[in-house]
Amino acid sequence: MRVSPKTGALLAIGTVVACLVTVGLLSVTGNDFTVAGLRGTDLYASYGLPVVRVLAELGAVVCVGGLLFSGFLLPEPHRVPIRIAGSAAVLWALAALLSVPFTLADVYARPLSYFMDFDRLVEIAFAVEPTRAWMLTALIAVVIAGATTRITTQRATRGLLGLALFGLVPVASSGHSSSGGDHDWATASLLIHLVAAALWVGGLIAVVAYRKGEHLTTAVTRFSTLALWCWIALAASGAINALVRVKLPNLFTTSYGVLVVAKLVALVVLGVFGYFQRQHSVREVVKHGTGRALMKLGAVEVLLMLMTIGLAAALARTPPPDHNEIVPTVELKLGYVLSGPPDPMKFLTDWRFDLLLGTAAIVLAVIHRRSPSWVAGCAAIVIATSSGIGRYAPAVFSVDVVSTMILAIGAPILLTRGMPQKYRVLLHPIAATVLFSSSFYLVYFTGVFEWSLDQPVVRAGIHLWFLLVGLAFFLTAFAPEVPVKTRRVMVFAACAAQSVFAGALLILDHPIGEQFYRSLRLPWVSDLLASQQLGGAVAIGFGVVPLLVSGLFLLVTPQRARERELTSIP
């Protein structure tokens, strides 16, 4: 299995085309930034930044594609795609670092040479959110590049793929979508869009590059299924992001709207090519075991994908037409408005769907819908993030604690009961207990919670973290492989830690997240300490009580057959 010169030439041509598309479009729409007062007029920065961004995105998708190919598309890991992923990560890191001075020159309307002084560059770079995002991206890419020289297993390759996909988050969360009304949906849809695009583009490049290798039939068949789901995710997330960022009347009358339409057209064309790939090329590979037809349609599809990357880079440099609209404070901070103080009826009826965890929960429920407990656990995730509880959680501390307890305790208990045995991953009992118990303190008492309040991506990450550590804890605490006595100690230790956490919320003399909550200026949130104390009571009712019940169940459970015990999880 090797990379052919044809594939290298294809990538080189596609990169040049993407850069030309970006520069050409910006020569028409680039003045929008100056008029909007968002960027300066330094030509090197104005045209150099999007070109560097194209190189960064190319490095990212090739890196993702190599790791995806070795970690999931092949039946066993292969060093060649991993090495290619490492080389692409180097390009990704270099382009991300180059983006720092270009971004600063663009933001401050200074000549690029002004930021060639290293001390000045470092001093200013940490003060600007987009450059901090690029530096974090570069760090992640460097870690990936170093790790690819050592990993040998598929599990490690899959973990590195997760890190590569996470590397797409910092820059995405610092663009147009992270501000203004509906920014929660805009950011979430953009992240889904970027992840789906990276998997699709990177996976196709990898398949075309290694079309003469062994296990080609397996790789192509697996990628064909993945590509279809990626296209669906791209279409849905792209439509949502477009509707959030630009109003329908402005879709054909503004530069931003025209670029959005062009990108959607390119996506439709790519979908058509993907259909013919599955109908012709994939069928030939499965039937004859040869990948000759992959290069014919695949080359055109790759070029179109890289052109779309150029369109996306130009779109990132074009301000949305409605960016100057005055947005109420609450909507600016949360992304949406609240219709009054929370009450049980609003929790039941005032929904706002969470595009990340809500979508993931529905997909997981459909995949494994035969288990009622599993479906109930997925429903608990939706309720915690998308019902009135999820809507009011960012604005009211006590409601946030309700959401957290459902995600960390309620949903994991249900999911654990409904999870098939072959998917269970156990931790050491001490590690599972410490990880679960300490997470509440690390999030709420170290500043992480305050950081997440006006950062939808960080908030979603915290929700996912609580869900994962809860699953890790309860999978271990209710595992038949672990002695009953050890599991009892685990649950009661977690119960004690949760009680101390709840007590701390009850007696703390200063509000957590006070600055953010006061900035919302909600007339019905006047006593922040009272809300925090209510959160402590919630932590007892929704956290301590379920743990205590679980501990009592284990206390009275005799040492029985492991299979019967597993099905008796409350």
Side-chain angles (χ1 to χ4, degrees), residues 180-186 244 331 334-338 346-347 349-355 358 382-392:
D182 294 313
H183 62 74
D184 56 331
W185 278 14
V244 168
E331 188 175 359
L334 304 181
Y336 52 86
V337 297
L338 298 172
K346 286 191 174 68
F347 290 159
T349 61
D350 203 359
W351 285 58
R352 185 174 180 84
F353 189 70
D354 186 304
L355 291 180
V382 174
I383 291 171
T385 59
S386 303
S387 70
I389 295 173
R391 187 183 187 104
Y392 276 87

Side-chain angles (χ1 to χ4, degrees), residues 70-299:
S70 180
F72 286 95
L73 301 186
L74 292 179
E76 57 188 25
H78 198 286
R79 285 300 306 166
V80 172
I82 293 175
R83 286 200 299 267
I84 295 300
S87 300
V90 173
L91 171 62
W92 189 9
L94 292 175
L97 289 175
L98 278 175
S99 297
V100 173
F102 277 102
T103 300
L104 291 175
D106 192 44
V107 169
Y108 288 102
R110 294 270 191 168
L112 190 61
S113 58
Y114 180 79
F115 296 98
M116 292 298 101
D117 181 277
F118 183 75
D119 293 335
R120 177 186 295 153
L121 178 66
V122 172
E123 179 184 359
I124 302 177
F126 283 98
V128 180
E129 183 182 0
T131 51
R132 289 199 302 267
W134 280 117
M135 288 187 289
L136 178 56
T137 300
L139 177 61
I140 293 171
V142 167
V143 171
I144 294 172
T148 53
T149 62
R150 297 181 177 273
I151 61 173
T152 57
T153 65
Q154 253 185 338
R155 178 176 293 183
T157 305
R158 291 169 180 175
L160 212 56
L161 173 62
L163 181 61
L165 293 175
F166 176 74
L168 304 173
V169 173
V171 175
S173 60
S174 64
H176 302 321
S177 298
S178 63
S179 61
D182 294 313
H183 62 74
D184 56 331
W185 278 14
T187 303
S189 61
L190 180 60
L191 288 178
I192 295 172
H193 198 77
L194 289 175
V195 169
L199 291 172
W200 189 15
V201 179
L204 179 64
I205 291 173
V207 169
V208 170
Y210 307 114
R211 64 192 179 279
K212 296 182 180 179
E214 57 184 345
H215 305 304
L216 180 63
T217 301
T218 300
V220 169
T221 303
R222 291 178 177 178
F223 176 72
S224 178
T225 302
L226 174 66
L228 175 61
W229 285 106
C230 286
W231 186 87
I232 293 172
L234 278 168
S237 59
I240 292 172
N241 197 271
L243 291 174
V244 168
R245 294 292 96 203
V246 59
K247 295 177 182 178
L248 288 178
N250 295 327
L251 203 56
F252 296 97
T253 59
T254 63
S255 299
Y256 190 90
V258 170
L259 289 178
V260 167
V261 172
K263 191 176 177 182
L264 292 177
V265 169
L267 181 60
V268 172
V269 174
L270 285 171
V272 173
F273 271 93
Y275 171 79
F276 283 110
Q277 279 279 30
R278 287 189 295 275
Q279 293 296 311
H280 177 64
S281 304
V282 175
R283 185 181 300 170
E284 180 180 294
V285 170
V286 173
K287 185 177 181 180
H288 302 291
T290 176
R292 288 179 300 176
L294 281 175
M295 194 65 182
K296 297 177 182 177
L297 285 175

Side-chain angles (χ1 to χ4, degrees), residues 285-513:
V285 170
V286 173
K287 185 177 181 180
H288 302 291
T290 176
R292 288 179 300 176
L294 281 175
M295 194 65 182
K296 297 177 182 177
L297 285 175
V300 178
E301 193 173 355
V302 168
L303 285 175
L304 280 172
M305 286 177 168
L306 295 178
M307 287 177 61
T308 305
I309 289 177
L311 275 170
L315 194 61
R317 292 282 301 155
T318 307
D322 305 312
H323 68 277
N324 283 326
E325 286 188 351
I326 298 176
V327 180
T329 301
V330 174
E331 188 175 359
L332 185 64
K333 294 283 186 176
L334 304 181
Y336 52 86
V337 297
L338 298 172
S339 58
D343 56 53
M345 184 56 65
K346 286 191 174 68
F347 290 159
L348 292 173
T349 61
D350 203 359
W351 285 58
R352 185 174 180 84
F353 189 70
D354 186 304
L355 291 180
L356 295 178
L357 284 183
T359 302
I362 291 175
V363 171
L364 291 173
V366 171
I367 291 174
H368 189 57
R369 62 183 178 274
R370 289 172 292 180
S371 170
S373 182
W374 176 266
V375 174
C378 293
I381 297 173
V382 174
I383 291 171
T385 59
S386 303
S387 70
I389 295 173
R391 187 183 187 104
Y392 276 87
V396 183
F397 184 87
S398 56
V399 182
D400 177 87
V401 177
V402 174
S403 176
T404 297
M405 294 303 154
I406 295 174
L407 290 172
I409 298 175
I413 289 177
L414 294 168
L415 293 172
T416 299
R417 185 176 182 180
M419 186 177 292
Q421 181 71 29
K422 63 180 179 178
Y423 294 135
R424 292 172 180 266
V425 179
L426 307 183
L427 297 181
H428 189 281
I430 295 178
T433 305
V434 171
L435 189 65
F436 174 76
S437 301
S438 63
S439 292
F440 297 94
Y441 297 88
L442 293 174
V443 168
Y444 283 95
F445 298 145
T446 62
V448 175
F449 177 74
E450 287 91 334
W451 178 37
S452 72
L453 286 173
D454 58 354
Q455 297 288 337
V457 174
V458 179
R459 182 172 182 80
I462 290 175
H463 286 166
L464 180 61
W465 174 258
F466 275 121
L467 182 63
L468 292 178
V469 297
L471 276 172
F473 176 77
F474 287 105
L475 282 173
T476 307
F478 291 122
E481 296 85 349
V482 180
V484 172
K485 184 179 294 185
T486 301
R487 290 184 277 150
R488 291 170 182 165
V489 172
M490 285 180 63
V491 174
F492 282 114
C495 187
Q498 189 70 15
S499 299
V500 174
F501 169 72
L505 293 180
L506 288 170
I507 66 174
L508 204 63
D509 60 358
H510 63 275
I512 299 173

Side-chain angles (χ1 to χ4, degrees), residues 3-17 295 299 302-303 306:
V3 180
S4 68
K6 289 183 179 179
T7 304
L10 175 65
L11 289 179
I13 293 171
T15 304
V16 171
V17 169
M295 194 65 182
V302 168
L303 285 175
L306 295 178

